[in-house]
Amino acid sequence: MRFEYDIEAGNFSKAGDASSAFKKVLKQLNVDPQVIKRIVIALYEGEVNIVAHSYGGKIVCDIEPKKVSIVLKDTGPGIPNIEQAMQEGFSTATPAVREMGFGAGMGLCNMNRNANAMNITSSAEDGTRVELIINL
Amino acid sequence: MTIKEIAESLEGEIVCSEKFTNRKVEKAFSSDLMSEVLTIDSENLILITGLVNVQTIRTCEMLDIQNIIIVRNKKATPEMLELAEENDIIIIQCPFSMFKASGILYQHGIKPIY
């Protein structure tokens, strides 16, 4: 089953709508609550990243029999140094993002912690693509 | 402690999901930083925060945190109340600082998560 969500840049009042909607789907499918929590924490961190740092993007969630695959794709501006971005505490967040309670440089690390696999590719031309796999 | 007991001890006001005032809480976590809250994993928790925006509720929704204390005499926004009510999340508004609210709950036996 595939679920797709468009994510608007900079709109913090809607940040989390996609994660909330996908959580409801997972609950309806009776997925283990601990696994749901891991999925939605990783997804929500990623959704907030698109809202906070990108020009906008899209989230595609695929539910398969043994895993959930999530692709978070934005349209730019890209992450210049992924290794640096993965370091806990490193952040390029604006004061507006920090006012919302984010921007501590913990998001990507937390996504990685909650996923069974995470893959990031990024360029200035194509934006950032984060793929998460969480086993069911 | 029940939500009702917590609200009384903090001279607070329960402003939504009032039907769950008998819910029991064992642990608490105090933070204004939702990035940090998203790294915790605990049951029967109450979040003590001074951050009043809709992301506070969204963060709690993702973590299955069903109880929030808003400190420093801040008020939940209408959007927060609506979203909290939808998710059966209780909000207590309290006039005390985060330090004082945390201290009172600690004295009453509420445990830290680490």
Side-chain angles (χ1 to χ4, degrees), chain B residues 44-62:
Chain B
N44 303 327
L45 182 87
I46 194 157
L47 173 68
I48 304 169
T49 188
L51 187 77
V52 280
N53 65 54
V54 82
Q55 296 313 317
T56 305
I57 313 298
R58 281 293 187 217
T59 299
C60 288
E61 182 193 351
M62 301 309 151

Side-chain angles (χ1 to χ4, degrees), chain A residues 21 38 47 55-56 63-64 67 70 74 77 118 121 127 135:
Chain A
R38 284 175 48 219
E47 185 178 353
Y55 304 144
I63 305 174
E64 296 167 41
K67 65 178 183 183
I70 299 170
D74 68 45
M118 181 167 102
T121 52
N135 296 333

